[in-house]
Amino acid sequence: MSYSGALNPASEDYESRPHYYIGQHDSDRCEVLDDDQYNQVLNSGFNFVTAPITNRHFFQRVVDQHKEFLAERQEWSERLTPAQRTNPSLPVPIVPTLTDEDTSLYPSHHIGSLITYASPWIDLCSRDPYISGISRQVLNMEVAYANFCGARTIVIPGPRQDESGPGVAQYARAIQEALLQVTRANLIIHLPMYREPLLEEKCETLSDIFDGSRIDADPKKEIDIFTSWDSWHTIRSVCEYSSRLFLALRIPRRVPEKALQERWFSEPLHFLTIGQAVFQTNRAGNPTLSKHHQDLINRYMRLKNAPWIILNDVGPNAEDLGVARAIKAIEYPSLAEASKALQERKPKSGLNDYVSYMKYLERQQPPFTAMETPALSSFQDWLQSPLQPLADNLESATYEVFEGDPVKYDQYQAAITEAMAEWKILKKPSALGTEAEPYNPELICAVAGAGRGPLVTRVLRAAAATNTKIQLWAVEKNQNAFVYLLNKNKKEWNGQVTLVKTDMRGWGGPIPRGATAPVKVDILVSELLGSFGDNELSPECLDGIQHHLSHPNGISIPHSYTAHLSPISTPRLFADISSRESDPHAFEIPYVVRLFQLDFVAQKVPNHPRFQQAWEFIHPVGINRADDFAMQHGFGKKYVTPGGGAMYGSNGTNEHNARHTHLTFVCPTRGVIHGLAGYFESTLYESQVEGREGEKVEISILPDQIDWKSKDMISWFPIFFPLKKPLYFPQDTELEVSMWRQTDDTKVWYEWLVEVYAWVGPQSRIKVGASEMHSSKKVACLM
């Protein structure tokens, strides 16, 4: 949970849900609350309040000054020639520095708990250069002063409109400048989810006062629900995805379509703001939210850094808070005077009705699932470099994490059990069979890359469950893990396993009891899959050991695996990678990451699913001529040079493991992508019994498949292929994704490219954007 708040440790059910941290904002508040008023707000159930940086006096001073400036300018104009009147170097209005009469915000021990609010009457988007200039000066003064006072959060009202022109760009430029004014505070841009009519700030701006030409949106006009996001994208792009720039998202009365909800979900949300008009009233006269609003809030509160909630204009209002001030105005009030003040004001007591309802919603949230434990939630959007098990020896703690996933090993055991049972049913020729009697009920099994032995245990269990007699080998190159295996073989496996310390590619094969020469393997089990299926070099590893499988009946578990891709928007990950200035290859690393705060920009349409298969590997594969030549002459593949025309001048012995794909994704709404999400599926075993064809034991991490193929499996997080620059695309476009799996016989790496095509006619497209070619060769996986 992101914020501990005041959780009741005695209530386990309460702790199993996200916590609501609820604040209060009053649009008419012009002064910072004093201690008595602040306590009154907290006593009504709120956790924090907003505080204006400047007051009404400052606003009036700025307005009066500009009136004087306009009057003086009129006098100048009468004395200047027409050419002089257009001189851009004429004086401009300068806002004097703040005084103690302009603010009631001062440094204090609780300033860090206040959410400071910039003046809503400035208009940074104004086409009037004087008004936009004044607004920029006011903003810089306010954020600098709030930062001086110790404020850590400053909310800035966003643009009132998203019209084309210089407005939003001017606003973005001003925010970029404001970020330079503050050194520690976060800037929060307050924007609506979309431009729902009559849901903007109530305060009039300087443009309304001096210009009056601003036209309010026509409530009957069709609304483009993505314009508010367009403005946000411009602002954060100009600010280069600053880690101190966040969003306060105003929830509308009518919840928009899912595509927009997910778009905002992927952005850096700090607050959800809900106005009084959004609430409905039930039969008892109490405030409620629609089911759609509840679902939206529940979804957003699942984030590791869950947004805080701000209730706008729901009380206690200025009149309620005036009770404390009225009593305080009397320096030493008697009981009669205090009673009289209370009678005149009649304040509400107890929890605020809206807070009470939000606390009720908090209790009604779905509890955390098995995939939302604190440990797993801590991995949300945390970038990790992929493992290199061939090049590195893993630590025991890493193995222990893998072994903590019962779902994966249950599926492996199910696959091994099926393979052993069907071997009996089909009476297939086995490694210990003879020409006279090819079938032998005793099977030769091997676990390649045994680690600390979890798959060895599952093979033994499967053999016991099917009453199959086996001889089992466990092959492991990690000398430290091998010591663990020796101990486990003595204490848990009763010496049933033959342990071999070697790289599986150099193993000479199993020598059965009583024999002097190696034989083939009937069932080969391996645990070499990565987040993209092949990214931990499972194909290369199995190439070096598959010749030990009996032909043609030998079984490899897994039998096959496929890699899948989908373009995503993930501003958080882009900002994280951008901050890694010390790593020149940061954008060329395929990261393992539990993707969570993201938006899948592609939609599922006929022939173009949201998640598309890139390529597939199947085991065992046929032995190529280089392998055959190497085995006949007794030396390793890496010394064989059958040809020199392969990629990067290599001899081509691993060329059969190179892959290429070109995929087309359809995007009906405009947006931006920051990279490609990679997933895998694997068929561990597919039935070979007649009448059961197509029955499979599978595992999957695809978001739309995992729940019915391997629900709650946590062994693998997705892989993320980042783009060096965010790639914007208009609506009704197609994203063309090209990816290569490359090799030069010593290492394996990926290359990826994304292109954007827009339809301009029924049969014609134009290219409107493209990423550069990305390559992970400099951080490749070593063979």
Side-chain angles (χ1 to χ4, degrees), residues 522-538:
D522 295 316
I523 299 177
L524 175 66
V525 184
S526 62
E527 188 182 2
L528 307 169
L529 298 174
S531 297
F532 204 44
D534 56 80
N535 61 295
E536 293 184 11
L537 307 192
S538 176

Side-chain angles (χ1 to χ4, degrees), residues 346-386:
K346 295 181 181 178
K348 294 182 179 180
S349 60
L351 279 181
N352 178 279
D353 291 342
Y354 294 87
V355 174
S356 296
Y357 177 70
M358 296 305 296
K359 292 292 185 182
Y360 165 78
L361 287 188
E362 180 183 34
R363 296 189 296 272
Q364 297 304 306
Q365 294 176 97
F368 286 127
T369 66
M371 299 295 287
E372 295 176 310
T373 63
L376 283 176
S377 295
S378 68
F379 282 101
Q380 280 185 20
D381 302 304
W382 182 47
L383 297 168
Q384 306 172 70
S385 296

Side-chain angles (χ1 to χ4, degrees), residues 443-677:
L443 301 181
I444 300 295
C445 301
V447 175
R452 300 201 317 174
L455 281 181
V456 176
T457 300
R458 297 298 179 136
V459 172
L460 293 172
R461 289 180 184 176
T466 57
N467 197 27
T468 301
K469 187 176 181 181
I470 65 170
Q471 293 188 41
L472 178 58
W473 276 257
V475 183
E476 176 55 49
K477 74 173 181 63
N478 185 341
Q479 66 271 18
N480 303 309
F482 189 75
V483 176
Y484 188 92
L485 290 174
L486 289 170
N487 183 61
K488 200 165 187 177
N489 195 27
K490 290 178 181 177
K491 295 185 176 180
E492 293 187 27
W493 302 329
N494 299 318
Q496 299 178 74
V497 184
T498 302
L499 303 177
V500 182
K501 190 188 95 51
T502 185
D503 187 312
M504 69 183 71
R505 295 169 295 180
W507 182 39
I511 301 177
R513 290 186 291 271
T516 57
V519 298
K520 296 295 184 179
V521 175
D522 295 316
I523 299 177
L524 175 66
V525 184
S526 62
E527 188 182 2
L528 307 169
L529 298 174
S531 297
F532 204 44
D534 56 80
N535 61 295
E536 293 184 11
L537 307 192
S538 176
E540 284 71 23
C541 292
L542 293 179
D543 272 356
I545 197 173
Q546 68 169 0
H547 62 272
H548 292 303
L549 272 174
S550 58
H551 183 75
N553 299 302
I555 295 172
S556 172
I557 297 176
H559 166 64
S560 65
Y561 38 92
T562 53
H564 301 255
L565 290 168
S566 186
I568 61 172
S569 175
T570 172
R572 178 174 177 176
L573 293 186
F574 178 79
D576 187 349
I577 299 173
S578 298
S579 67
R580 304 183 179 199
E581 298 177 354
S582 61
D583 185 355
H585 308 303
F587 278 100
E588 296 173 335
I589 299 174
Y591 294 95
V592 172
V593 55
R594 189 189 177 206
L595 295 171
F596 193 83
Q597 193 171 2
L598 80 163
D599 177 25
F600 292 108
V601 298
Q603 296 297 315
K604 180 181 179 181
V605 298
N607 302 318
H608 295 290
R610 171 174 278 179
F611 306 98
Q612 298 185 30
Q613 180 177 318
W615 49 65
E616 181 179 24
F617 287 90
I618 299 175
H619 300 290
V621 297
I623 300 176
N624 61 33
R625 286 176 295 177
D627 291 326
D628 191 34
F629 182 84
M631 287 188 293
Q632 287 180 26
H633 293 80
F635 47 78
K637 285 169 48 180
K638 64 181 179 180
Y639 300 111
V640 182
T641 56
M647 185 72 70
Y648 294 96
S650 64
N651 60 41
T653 55
N654 197 41
E655 195 71 13
H656 62 289
N657 285 325
R659 294 288 189 274
H660 169 248
T661 189
H662 185 83
L663 308 172
T664 300
F665 296 90
V666 177
C667 302
T669 60
R670 61 187 179 272
V672 63
I673 69 167
H674 301 95
L676 305 170

Side-chain angles (χ1 to χ4, degrees), residues 24 33 121 192 389 428 452 463 522 541 672 688 692 732 763:
Q24 187 246 26
L33 299 182
W121 44 264
K428 296 195 299 181
R452 300 201 317 174
D522 295 316
C541 292
V672 63
Q688 300 175 8
R692 296 183 60 191
D732 296 323
Q763 301 294 328

Side-chain angles (χ1 to χ4, degrees), residues 86-318:
T86 59
N87 188 336
S89 297
L90 288 174
V92 295
I94 302 298
V95 180
T97 186
L98 294 176
T99 70
D100 60 343
E101 294 182 331
D102 297 325
T103 181
S104 52
L105 181 71
Y106 297 100
S108 65
H109 65 277
H110 64 268
I111 185 68
S113 64
L114 293 177
I115 306 302
T116 53
Y117 208 91
S119 294
W121 44 264
I122 62 175
D123 187 359
L124 297 166
C125 299
S126 176
R127 292 177 181 271
D128 184 329
Y130 296 128
I131 290 179
S132 63
I134 291 172
S135 299
R136 179 177 53 80
Q137 294 176 57
V138 169
L139 178 64
N140 287 339
M141 282 184 180
E142 291 188 336
V143 298
Y145 180 70
N147 185 69
F148 161 79
C149 289
R152 294 293 167 263
T153 304
I154 304 172
V155 179
I156 304 173
R160 296 284 184 99
Q161 294 178 323
D162 308 306
E163 77 281 355
S164 59
V168 175
Q170 284 182 180
Y171 183 97
R173 168 65 183 80
I175 298 301
Q176 181 191 50
E177 186 176 345
L179 282 167
L180 299 176
Q181 296 287 327
V182 298
T183 55
R184 292 180 292 177
N186 295 325
L187 299 189
I188 319 294
I189 309 302
H190 196 186
L191 283 168
M193 201 169 209
Y194 67 92
R195 297 295 176 182
E196 186 177 46
L198 307 178
L199 202 68
E200 296 296 337
E201 294 271 0
K202 295 186 297 183
C203 177
E204 63 177 359
T205 66
L206 293 177
S207 294
D208 298 326
I209 297 170
F210 291 102
D211 186 359
S213 61
R214 182 168 66 88
I215 301 175
D216 292 329
D218 183 356
K220 297 181 180 180
K221 183 181 178 181
E222 183 178 354
I223 299 173
D224 181 350
I225 62 173
F226 281 89
T227 59
S228 185
W229 178 84
D230 286 337
S231 294
W232 163 249
H233 178 58
T234 298
I235 296 165
R236 61 97 175 275
S237 296
V238 169
C239 297
E240 298 179 327
Y241 286 75
S242 170
S243 61
R244 292 189 292 114
L245 186 67
F246 294 87
L247 258 173
L249 190 62
R250 185 182 298 124
I251 303 301
R253 286 170 296 192
R254 183 173 181 179
V255 176
E257 62 186 52
K258 197 73 173 178
L260 184 60
Q261 294 182 43
E262 291 302 297
R263 180 68 53 81
W264 286 118
F265 177 81
S266 69
E267 300 294 350
L269 296 172
H270 200 296
F271 297 113
L272 299 179
T273 68
I274 309 174
Q276 189 179 40
V278 176
F279 288 88
Q280 301 171 353
T281 304
N282 62 16
R283 293 179 180 178
N286 296 317
T288 62
L289 290 172
S290 71
K291 182 65 167 58
H292 294 299
H293 286 93
Q294 295 175 38
D295 291 342
L296 182 147
I297 294 172
N298 288 342
R299 166 74 169 144
Y300 286 6
M301 294 303 292
R302 258 29 201 193
L303 291 168
K304 178 171 65 175
N305 296 317
W308 295 3
I309 296 173
I310 296 180
L311 302 182
N312 294 344
D313 302 324
V314 299
N317 56 30

